[in-house]
Amino acid sequence: MEKAKIILTGDRPTGKLHIGHFVGSLRGRVELQNAADYDKMFVFIADAQALTDNFDNPEKVRQNIIEVALDYLSVGLDPNKVTLFIQSMIPELTELAFYYMNLVTVARLQRNPTVKSEIAMRGFGKDGEEQVFGSGLPVGFFTYPISQAADITAFKATMVPAGEDQKPMIEQTVEIVRKFNSIYGDTLVEPEILLPSNKACCRLPGTDGKAKMSKSLGNCIYLSESAEEMHKKVMGMYTDPLHISINDPGHVEGNTVFTYLDAFCNDGHFASYLPDYANLAELKEHYMRGGLGDVKIKKFLEKVLNEILEPVRTKRKEFEKDIPEVYNILKKGSEVARNAAAKTLDDVRNAMKINYFDDAKLIAEQAERFAK
Ligand code: TRP
């Protein structure tokens, strides 16, 4: 029998999703959903994982669950096709993680590059390994790759659409699966990562040209943002500091407007909004030659973004009218997900022989032993 094709991915609810998420993951998920080349697809809100480094701010996580759910629904994830759920509503995941903890060494976790850089970034320690892994680091955060392995394996996921930064997590999951299967017998399924195909899409910079969109820098364009707010942000975008007068030759490399155009626009957009150019290559060529102003390229980008985001905004408004129904969608999805995870947990308990009450043979053997 062919192995079932099961797609699973998720996001931490630490903020509203922005257009970087859209090109980097959401757009691809909707395409996967609609291609319908899978047996099951799960998309979940990783609130328990978000709490590993926001344990002191549960209200932030709580508020962002509905934001992320609305973002999912408004970009077109369809709860009739995809199971949408909340991680913490599936207690089976924590039990799986607990058993997996026996299969991972502290040294291996310390080597996980994503965890390493996140620890440094969050300032859990200062410079140097010893301090980084010193007393400031919560065990829950340190072990979140194990919890993530539980998320993935609970659903027997074969494919995990995610960014480059998640590669170490998938690698660690594969190691856990192999170790589990070699000790307890073939039970868990090895996942594979599915990276975004377009390189420009992997990491969209902020509107200020800084490497990352982040709420605190105020350089994000959110999916939930109005056209008016977005207009201001696009007009204020970082371009080329050397392109002072229109006739100066411009640079497209590191020019945020062009990076966004790389990620979002197609030839059809030129035909609709900027017919003097056939495609992005022609526009870039003119900009580099000189004689093309920033306002013109920004206006074009705004039109492209609006074409993509307007249907998302409309859909969001519809779902916002019935918030209880959005929670209901998540609740129903969580029930479906819980059943799937419970089935895997049963397999795991059987494989580990911690299924005492279900094992008639064990009970009979023990009875016989004590009867002697
Ligand atoms: N670590 C992911 C992120 O930060 C979120 C996540 C948690 C996840 N569990 C997962 C992604 C399982 C894919 C599969 O975005």
Side-chain angles (χ1 to χ4, degrees), residues 191-227:
E192 253 176 77
I193 191 165
L194 181 68
L195 295 165
S197 48
N198 179 349
K199 273 281 162 228
C201 293
C202 284
R203 180 153 291 190
L204 208 64
T207 52
D208 56 357
K210 300 243 163 69
K212 227 181 146 178
M213 284 202 185
S214 97
K215 192 179 165 195
S216 53
L217 294 174
N219 61 0
C220 304
I221 294 177
Y222 295 104
L223 292 171
S224 49
E225 196 151 275
S226 68

PDB file of all heavy atoms in Angstrom, residues 191-227:
ATOM      1  N   PRO A 191       8.905  12.547   8.250  1.00  0.00           N
ATOM      2  CA  PRO A 191       8.416  13.663   7.432  1.00  0.00           C
ATOM      3  C   PRO A 191       9.519  14.226   6.529  1.00  0.00           C
ATOM      4  O   PRO A 191      10.699  13.970   6.744  1.00  0.00           O
ATOM      5  CB  PRO A 191       8.053  14.699   8.483  1.00  0.00           C
ATOM      6  CG  PRO A 191       9.079  14.479   9.567  1.00  0.00           C
ATOM      7  CD  PRO A 191       9.396  13.001   9.560  1.00  0.00           C
ATOM      8  N   GLU A 192       9.080  15.003   5.559  1.00  0.00           N
ATOM      9  CA  GLU A 192      10.005  15.746   4.700  1.00  0.00           C
ATOM     10  C   GLU A 192       9.584  17.204   4.715  1.00  0.00           C
ATOM     11  O   GLU A 192       8.387  17.493   4.786  1.00  0.00           O
ATOM     12  CB  GLU A 192       9.831  15.271   3.259  1.00  0.00           C
ATOM     13  CG  GLU A 192      10.929  14.411   2.716  1.00  0.00           C
ATOM     14  CD  GLU A 192      10.543  13.944   1.326  1.00  0.00           C
ATOM     15  OE1 GLU A 192      10.645  14.759   0.390  1.00  0.00           O
ATOM     16  OE2 GLU A 192      10.105  12.784   1.201  1.00  0.00           O
ATOM     17  N   ILE A 193      10.545  18.106   4.610  1.00  0.00           N
ATOM     18  CA  ILE A 193      10.194  19.526   4.548  1.00  0.00           C
ATOM     19  C   ILE A 193       9.885  19.894   3.092  1.00  0.00           C
ATOM     20  O   ILE A 193      10.471  19.334   2.172  1.00  0.00           O
ATOM     21  CB  ILE A 193      11.331  20.412   5.123  1.00  0.00           C
ATOM     22  CG1 ILE A 193      10.857  21.860   5.307  1.00  0.00           C
ATOM     23  CG2 ILE A 193      12.577  20.362   4.261  1.00  0.00           C
ATOM     24  CD1 ILE A 193      11.773  22.703   6.182  1.00  0.00           C
ATOM     25  N   LEU A 194       8.937  20.793   2.920  1.00  0.00           N
ATOM     26  CA  LEU A 194       8.635  21.313   1.592  1.00  0.00           C
ATOM     27  C   LEU A 194       8.926  22.803   1.617  1.00  0.00           C
ATOM     28  O   LEU A 194       8.190  23.585   2.216  1.00  0.00           O
ATOM     29  CB  LEU A 194       7.157  21.050   1.266  1.00  0.00           C
ATOM     30  CG  LEU A 194       6.676  21.499  -0.103  1.00  0.00           C
ATOM     31  CD1 LEU A 194       7.301  20.675  -1.208  1.00  0.00           C
ATOM     32  CD2 LEU A 194       5.152  21.409  -0.184  1.00  0.00           C
ATOM     33  N   LEU A 195      10.050  23.185   1.016  1.00  0.00           N
ATOM     34  CA  LEU A 195      10.478  24.592   1.058  1.00  0.00           C
ATOM     35  C   LEU A 195       9.759  25.410  -0.007  1.00  0.00           C
ATOM     36  O   LEU A 195       9.368  24.868  -1.039  1.00  0.00           O
ATOM     37  CB  LEU A 195      11.997  24.662   0.847  1.00  0.00           C
ATOM     38  CG  LEU A 195      12.843  24.025   1.946  1.00  0.00           C
ATOM     39  CD1 LEU A 195      14.277  23.823   1.482  1.00  0.00           C
ATOM     40  CD2 LEU A 195      12.800  24.852   3.220  1.00  0.00           C
ATOM     41  N   PRO A 196       9.596  26.726   0.223  1.00  0.00           N
ATOM     42  CA  PRO A 196       8.961  27.566  -0.805  1.00  0.00           C
ATOM     43  C   PRO A 196       9.817  27.562  -2.083  1.00  0.00           C
ATOM     44  O   PRO A 196      11.050  27.526  -1.991  1.00  0.00           O
ATOM     45  CB  PRO A 196       8.947  28.966  -0.189  1.00  0.00           C
ATOM     46  CG  PRO A 196       9.440  28.846   1.195  1.00  0.00           C
ATOM     47  CD  PRO A 196      10.019  27.490   1.397  1.00  0.00           C
ATOM     48  N   SER A 197       9.159  27.581  -3.236  1.00  0.00           N
ATOM     49  CA  SER A 197       9.908  27.422  -4.490  1.00  0.00           C
ATOM     50  C   SER A 197      10.630  28.704  -4.930  1.00  0.00           C
ATOM     51  O   SER A 197      11.737  28.649  -5.433  1.00  0.00           O
ATOM     52  CB  SER A 197       8.971  26.935  -5.598  1.00  0.00           C
ATOM     53  OG  SER A 197       7.795  27.712  -5.601  1.00  0.00           O
ATOM     54  N   ASN A 198      10.031  29.857  -4.704  1.00  0.00           N
ATOM     55  CA  ASN A 198      10.612  31.115  -5.153  1.00  0.00           C
ATOM     56  C   ASN A 198      11.545  31.707  -4.085  1.00  0.00           C
ATOM     57  O   ASN A 198      11.125  32.007  -2.990  1.00  0.00           O
ATOM     58  CB  ASN A 198       9.460  32.081  -5.475  1.00  0.00           C
ATOM     59  CG  ASN A 198       9.937  33.443  -5.935  1.00  0.00           C
ATOM     60  OD1 ASN A 198      11.120  33.777  -5.834  1.00  0.00           O
ATOM     61  ND2 ASN A 198       9.013  34.229  -6.443  1.00  0.00           N
ATOM     62  N   LYS A 199      12.803  31.879  -4.461  1.00  0.00           N
ATOM     63  CA  LYS A 199      13.808  32.364  -3.496  1.00  0.00           C
ATOM     64  C   LYS A 199      13.461  33.745  -2.924  1.00  0.00           C
ATOM     65  O   LYS A 199      13.630  33.993  -1.740  1.00  0.00           O
ATOM     66  CB  LYS A 199      15.204  32.418  -4.148  1.00  0.00           C
ATOM     67  CG  LYS A 199      15.934  31.100  -4.043  1.00  0.00           C
ATOM     68  CD  LYS A 199      16.561  30.881  -2.652  1.00  0.00           C
ATOM     69  CE  LYS A 199      16.892  29.418  -2.418  1.00  0.00           C
ATOM     70  NZ  LYS A 199      16.452  28.869  -1.153  1.00  0.00           N
ATOM     71  N   ALA A 200      12.958  34.645  -3.778  1.00  0.00           N
ATOM     72  CA  ALA A 200      12.621  36.003  -3.325  1.00  0.00           C
ATOM     73  C   ALA A 200      11.554  35.969  -2.242  1.00  0.00           C
ATOM     74  O   ALA A 200      11.374  36.929  -1.500  1.00  0.00           O
ATOM     75  CB  ALA A 200      12.131  36.849  -4.498  1.00  0.00           C
ATOM     76  N   CYS A 201      10.855  34.825  -2.185  1.00  0.00           N
ATOM     77  CA  CYS A 201       9.732  34.725  -1.260  1.00  0.00           C
ATOM     78  C   CYS A 201      10.130  34.237   0.115  1.00  0.00           C
ATOM     79  O   CYS A 201       9.363  34.340   1.054  1.00  0.00           O
ATOM     80  CB  CYS A 201       8.694  33.771  -1.829  1.00  0.00           C
ATOM     81  SG  CYS A 201       7.934  34.435  -3.306  1.00  0.00           S
ATOM     82  N   CYS A 202      11.342  33.684   0.213  1.00  0.00           N
ATOM     83  CA  CYS A 202      11.699  33.046   1.482  1.00  0.00           C
ATOM     84  C   CYS A 202      11.733  34.024   2.631  1.00  0.00           C
ATOM     85  O   CYS A 202      11.236  33.741   3.699  1.00  0.00           O
ATOM     86  CB  CYS A 202      13.039  32.343   1.368  1.00  0.00           C
ATOM     87  SG  CYS A 202      12.867  30.806   0.469  1.00  0.00           S
ATOM     88  N   ARG A 203      12.335  35.156   2.411  1.00  0.00           N
ATOM     89  CA  ARG A 203      12.363  36.133   3.496  1.00  0.00           C
ATOM     90  C   ARG A 203      12.165  37.527   2.948  1.00  0.00           C
ATOM     91  O   ARG A 203      13.073  38.144   2.397  1.00  0.00           O
ATOM     92  CB  ARG A 203      13.672  36.037   4.270  1.00  0.00           C
ATOM     93  CG  ARG A 203      13.690  37.055   5.403  1.00  0.00           C
ATOM     94  CD  ARG A 203      14.542  36.639   6.532  1.00  0.00           C
ATOM     95  NE  ARG A 203      13.975  35.512   7.238  1.00  0.00           N
ATOM     96  CZ  ARG A 203      14.446  35.077   8.394  1.00  0.00           C
ATOM     97  NH1 ARG A 203      15.484  35.656   8.937  1.00  0.00           N
ATOM     98  NH2 ARG A 203      13.895  34.065   9.000  1.00  0.00           N
ATOM     99  N   LEU A 204      10.960  38.007   3.089  1.00  0.00           N
ATOM    100  CA  LEU A 204      10.642  39.345   2.618  1.00  0.00           C
ATOM    101  C   LEU A 204      11.148  40.349   3.656  1.00  0.00           C
ATOM    102  O   LEU A 204      10.833  40.232   4.827  1.00  0.00           O
ATOM    103  CB  LEU A 204       9.121  39.448   2.477  1.00  0.00           C
ATOM    104  CG  LEU A 204       8.579  40.418   1.441  1.00  0.00           C
ATOM    105  CD1 LEU A 204       8.975  39.990   0.036  1.00  0.00           C
ATOM    106  CD2 LEU A 204       7.067  40.497   1.555  1.00  0.00           C
ATOM    107  N   PRO A 205      11.935  41.364   3.217  1.00  0.00           N
ATOM    108  CA  PRO A 205      12.389  42.353   4.201  1.00  0.00           C
ATOM    109  C   PRO A 205      11.237  43.253   4.645  1.00  0.00           C
ATOM    110  O   PRO A 205      10.182  43.282   4.013  1.00  0.00           O
ATOM    111  CB  PRO A 205      13.430  43.159   3.425  1.00  0.00           C
ATOM    112  CG  PRO A 205      13.061  43.006   1.993  1.00  0.00           C
ATOM    113  CD  PRO A 205      12.409  41.661   1.865  1.00  0.00           C
ATOM    114  N   GLY A 206      11.460  44.010   5.701  1.00  0.00           N
ATOM    115  CA  GLY A 206      10.469  44.997   6.145  1.00  0.00           C
ATOM    116  C   GLY A 206      10.408  46.170   5.175  1.00  0.00           C
ATOM    117  O   GLY A 206      11.278  46.320   4.314  1.00  0.00           O
ATOM    118  N   THR A 207       9.391  47.006   5.317  1.00  0.00           N
ATOM    119  CA  THR A 207       9.236  48.161   4.411  1.00  0.00           C
ATOM    120  C   THR A 207      10.400  49.145   4.555  1.00  0.00           C
ATOM    121  O   THR A 207      10.639  49.959   3.673  1.00  0.00           O
ATOM    122  CB  THR A 207       7.925  48.920   4.718  1.00  0.00           C
ATOM    123  OG1 THR A 207       7.879  49.212   6.110  1.00  0.00           O
ATOM    124  CG2 THR A 207       6.709  48.098   4.332  1.00  0.00           C
ATOM    125  N   ASP A 208      11.131  49.079   5.661  1.00  0.00           N
ATOM    126  CA  ASP A 208      12.287  49.967   5.873  1.00  0.00           C
ATOM    127  C   ASP A 208      13.579  49.359   5.337  1.00  0.00           C
ATOM    128  O   ASP A 208      14.659  49.904   5.542  1.00  0.00           O
ATOM    129  CB  ASP A 208      12.442  50.260   7.368  1.00  0.00           C
ATOM    130  CG  ASP A 208      12.571  48.985   8.194  1.00  0.00           C
ATOM    131  OD1 ASP A 208      12.484  47.886   7.607  1.00  0.00           O
ATOM    132  OD2 ASP A 208      12.757  49.086   9.412  1.00  0.00           O
ATOM    133  N   GLY A 209      13.454  48.183   4.673  1.00  0.00           N
ATOM    134  CA  GLY A 209      14.635  47.552   4.091  1.00  0.00           C
ATOM    135  C   GLY A 209      15.410  46.697   5.081  1.00  0.00           C
ATOM    136  O   GLY A 209      16.389  46.048   4.718  1.00  0.00           O
ATOM    137  N   LYS A 210      14.974  46.676   6.341  1.00  0.00           N
ATOM    138  CA  LYS A 210      15.653  45.827   7.325  1.00  0.00           C
ATOM    139  C   LYS A 210      15.325  44.369   7.029  1.00  0.00           C
ATOM    140  O   LYS A 210      14.279  44.045   6.465  1.00  0.00           O
ATOM    141  CB  LYS A 210      15.197  46.179   8.746  1.00  0.00           C
ATOM    142  CG  LYS A 210      15.480  47.624   9.126  1.00  0.00           C
ATOM    143  CD  LYS A 210      16.458  47.713  10.296  1.00  0.00           C
ATOM    144  CE  LYS A 210      17.086  49.093  10.431  1.00  0.00           C
ATOM    145  NZ  LYS A 210      16.123  50.127  10.857  1.00  0.00           N
ATOM    146  N   ALA A 211      16.217  43.492   7.457  1.00  0.00           N
ATOM    147  CA  ALA A 211      16.145  42.094   7.031  1.00  0.00           C
ATOM    148  C   ALA A 211      14.814  41.403   7.349  1.00  0.00           C
ATOM    149  O   ALA A 211      14.374  40.535   6.624  1.00  0.00           O
ATOM    150  CB  ALA A 211      17.291  41.312   7.644  1.00  0.00           C
ATOM    151  N   LYS A 212      14.170  41.803   8.403  1.00  0.00           N
ATOM    152  CA  LYS A 212      12.996  41.046   8.821  1.00  0.00           C
ATOM    153  C   LYS A 212      11.817  41.959   9.117  1.00  0.00           C
ATOM    154  O   LYS A 212      11.999  43.055   9.644  1.00  0.00           O
ATOM    155  CB  LYS A 212      13.351  40.282  10.105  1.00  0.00           C
ATOM    156  CG  LYS A 212      12.918  38.839  10.073  1.00  0.00           C
ATOM    157  CD  LYS A 212      13.270  38.134  11.350  1.00  0.00           C
ATOM    158  CE  LYS A 212      12.205  37.113  11.672  1.00  0.00           C
ATOM    159  NZ  LYS A 212      12.467  36.339  12.854  1.00  0.00           N
ATOM    160  N   MET A 213      10.627  41.490   8.791  1.00  0.00           N
ATOM    161  CA  MET A 213       9.449  42.225   9.223  1.00  0.00           C
ATOM    162  C   MET A 213       9.238  41.919  10.687  1.00  0.00           C
ATOM    163  O   MET A 213       9.225  40.756  11.093  1.00  0.00           O
ATOM    164  CB  MET A 213       8.210  41.757   8.465  1.00  0.00           C
ATOM    165  CG  MET A 213       8.149  42.262   7.066  1.00  0.00           C
ATOM    166  SD  MET A 213       6.461  42.231   6.460  1.00  0.00           S
ATOM    167  CE  MET A 213       6.776  42.734   4.778  1.00  0.00           C
ATOM    168  N   SER A 214       9.084  42.966  11.487  1.00  0.00           N
ATOM    169  CA  SER A 214       8.814  42.701  12.889  1.00  0.00           C
ATOM    170  C   SER A 214       7.929  43.798  13.456  1.00  0.00           C
ATOM    171  O   SER A 214       8.041  44.968  13.088  1.00  0.00           O
ATOM    172  CB  SER A 214      10.112  42.555  13.677  1.00  0.00           C
ATOM    173  OG  SER A 214      10.445  43.759  14.305  1.00  0.00           O
ATOM    174  N   LYS A 215       7.045  43.355  14.308  1.00  0.00           N
ATOM    175  CA  LYS A 215       6.050  44.260  14.878  1.00  0.00           C
ATOM    176  C   LYS A 215       6.724  45.438  15.570  1.00  0.00           C
ATOM    177  O   LYS A 215       6.333  46.587  15.391  1.00  0.00           O
ATOM    178  CB  LYS A 215       5.197  43.463  15.874  1.00  0.00           C
ATOM    179  CG  LYS A 215       3.974  44.212  16.309  1.00  0.00           C
ATOM    180  CD  LYS A 215       3.143  43.378  17.261  1.00  0.00           C
ATOM    181  CE  LYS A 215       2.145  44.265  17.957  1.00  0.00           C
ATOM    182  NZ  LYS A 215       1.550  43.642  19.122  1.00  0.00           N
ATOM    183  N   SER A 216       7.787  45.138  16.327  1.00  0.00           N
ATOM    184  CA  SER A 216       8.409  46.205  17.112  1.00  0.00           C
ATOM    185  C   SER A 216       9.093  47.247  16.216  1.00  0.00           C
ATOM    186  O   SER A 216       9.211  48.403  16.603  1.00  0.00           O
ATOM    187  CB  SER A 216       9.390  45.608  18.119  1.00  0.00           C
ATOM    188  OG  SER A 216      10.305  44.761  17.463  1.00  0.00           O
ATOM    189  N   LEU A 217       9.543  46.838  15.037  1.00  0.00           N
ATOM    190  CA  LEU A 217      10.154  47.815  14.127  1.00  0.00           C
ATOM    191  C   LEU A 217       9.098  48.587  13.328  1.00  0.00           C
ATOM    192  O   LEU A 217       9.413  49.560  12.649  1.00  0.00           O
ATOM    193  CB  LEU A 217      11.118  47.110  13.154  1.00  0.00           C
ATOM    194  CG  LEU A 217      12.378  46.472  13.763  1.00  0.00           C
ATOM    195  CD1 LEU A 217      13.153  45.695  12.708  1.00  0.00           C
ATOM    196  CD2 LEU A 217      13.279  47.527  14.388  1.00  0.00           C
ATOM    197  N   GLY A 218       7.855  48.135  13.394  1.00  0.00           N
ATOM    198  CA  GLY A 218       6.777  48.829  12.672  1.00  0.00           C
ATOM    199  C   GLY A 218       6.975  48.796  11.165  1.00  0.00           C
ATOM    200  O   GLY A 218       6.581  49.723  10.457  1.00  0.00           O
ATOM    201  N   ASN A 219       7.598  47.738  10.666  1.00  0.00           N
ATOM    202  CA  ASN A 219       7.907  47.692   9.230  1.00  0.00           C
ATOM    203  C   ASN A 219       7.170  46.554   8.504  1.00  0.00           C
ATOM    204  O   ASN A 219       7.638  46.043   7.498  1.00  0.00           O
ATOM    205  CB  ASN A 219       9.422  47.554   9.044  1.00  0.00           C
ATOM    206  CG  ASN A 219       9.953  46.267   9.663  1.00  0.00           C
ATOM    207  OD1 ASN A 219       9.201  45.480  10.231  1.00  0.00           O
ATOM    208  ND2 ASN A 219      11.243  46.040   9.523  1.00  0.00           N
ATOM    209  N   CYS A 220       6.018  46.172   9.039  1.00  0.00           N
ATOM    210  CA  CYS A 220       5.227  45.089   8.437  1.00  0.00           C
ATOM    211  C   CYS A 220       4.060  45.652   7.645  1.00  0.00           C
ATOM    212  O   CYS A 220       3.522  46.700   8.004  1.00  0.00           O
ATOM    213  CB  CYS A 220       4.605  44.199   9.510  1.00  0.00           C
ATOM    214  SG  CYS A 220       5.759  43.489  10.656  1.00  0.00           S
ATOM    215  N   ILE A 221       3.661  44.915   6.628  1.00  0.00           N
ATOM    216  CA  ILE A 221       2.363  45.165   6.003  1.00  0.00           C
ATOM    217  C   ILE A 221       1.506  43.950   6.334  1.00  0.00           C
ATOM    218  O   ILE A 221       1.790  42.834   5.896  1.00  0.00           O
ATOM    219  CB  ILE A 221       2.489  45.355   4.478  1.00  0.00           C
ATOM    220  CG1 ILE A 221       3.288  46.644   4.187  1.00  0.00           C
ATOM    221  CG2 ILE A 221       1.102  45.436   3.822  1.00  0.00           C
ATOM    222  CD1 ILE A 221       3.546  46.905   2.712  1.00  0.00           C
ATOM    223  N   TYR A 222       0.482  44.175   7.154  1.00  0.00           N
ATOM    224  CA  TYR A 222      -0.351  43.062   7.615  1.00  0.00           C
ATOM    225  C   TYR A 222      -1.437  42.722   6.601  1.00  0.00           C
ATOM    226  O   TYR A 222      -1.908  43.579   5.864  1.00  0.00           O
ATOM    227  CB  TYR A 222      -1.002  43.415   8.955  1.00  0.00           C
ATOM    228  CG  TYR A 222      -0.002  43.587  10.063  1.00  0.00           C
ATOM    229  CD1 TYR A 222       0.348  44.855  10.521  1.00  0.00           C
ATOM    230  CD2 TYR A 222       0.622  42.481  10.621  1.00  0.00           C
ATOM    231  CE1 TYR A 222       1.290  45.013  11.527  1.00  0.00           C
ATOM    232  CE2 TYR A 222       1.559  42.633  11.624  1.00  0.00           C
ATOM    233  CZ  TYR A 222       1.895  43.899  12.074  1.00  0.00           C
ATOM    234  OH  TYR A 222       2.830  44.051  13.061  1.00  0.00           O
ATOM    235  N   LEU A 223      -1.826  41.459   6.631  1.00  0.00           N
ATOM    236  CA  LEU A 223      -2.926  41.022   5.760  1.00  0.00           C
ATOM    237  C   LEU A 223      -4.232  41.698   6.150  1.00  0.00           C
ATOM    238  O   LEU A 223      -5.115  41.886   5.321  1.00  0.00           O
ATOM    239  CB  LEU A 223      -3.096  39.500   5.877  1.00  0.00           C
ATOM    240  CG  LEU A 223      -1.959  38.671   5.305  1.00  0.00           C
ATOM    241  CD1 LEU A 223      -2.142  37.208   5.679  1.00  0.00           C
ATOM    242  CD2 LEU A 223      -1.893  38.831   3.797  1.00  0.00           C
ATOM    243  N   SER A 224      -4.327  42.060   7.414  1.00  0.00           N
ATOM    244  CA  SER A 224      -5.579  42.616   7.925  1.00  0.00           C
ATOM    245  C   SER A 224      -5.637  44.135   7.806  1.00  0.00           C
ATOM    246  O   SER A 224      -6.579  44.758   8.270  1.00  0.00           O
ATOM    247  CB  SER A 224      -5.740  42.212   9.386  1.00  0.00           C
ATOM    248  OG  SER A 224      -4.558  42.490  10.099  1.00  0.00           O
ATOM    249  N   GLU A 225      -4.632  44.703   7.174  1.00  0.00           N
ATOM    250  CA  GLU A 225      -4.516  46.152   7.110  1.00  0.00           C
ATOM    251  C   GLU A 225      -5.436  46.750   6.041  1.00  0.00           C
ATOM    252  O   GLU A 225      -5.634  46.146   4.994  1.00  0.00           O
ATOM    253  CB  GLU A 225      -3.072  46.406   6.724  1.00  0.00           C
ATOM    254  CG  GLU A 225      -2.551  47.724   6.923  1.00  0.00           C
ATOM    255  CD  GLU A 225      -1.050  47.594   7.179  1.00  0.00           C
ATOM    256  OE1 GLU A 225      -0.662  47.361   8.320  1.00  0.00           O
ATOM    257  OE2 GLU A 225      -0.286  47.719   6.211  1.00  0.00           O
ATOM    258  N   SER A 226      -5.927  47.970   6.281  1.00  0.00           N
ATOM    259  CA  SER A 226      -6.775  48.626   5.281  1.00  0.00           C
ATOM    260  C   SER A 226      -5.924  49.126   4.113  1.00  0.00           C
ATOM    261  O   SER A 226      -4.701  49.284   4.235  1.00  0.00           O
ATOM    262  CB  SER A 226      -7.503  49.814   5.904  1.00  0.00           C
ATOM    263  OG  SER A 226      -6.560  50.819   6.222  1.00  0.00           O
ATOM    264  N   ALA A 227      -6.591  49.413   3.002  1.00  0.00           N
ATOM    265  CA  ALA A 227      -5.898  49.939   1.820  1.00  0.00           C
ATOM    266  C   ALA A 227      -5.243  51.288   2.143  1.00  0.00           C
ATOM    267  O   ALA A 227      -4.157  51.584   1.643  1.00  0.00           O
ATOM    268  CB  ALA A 227      -6.878  50.085   0.659  1.00  0.00           C
TER     269      ALA A 227
END
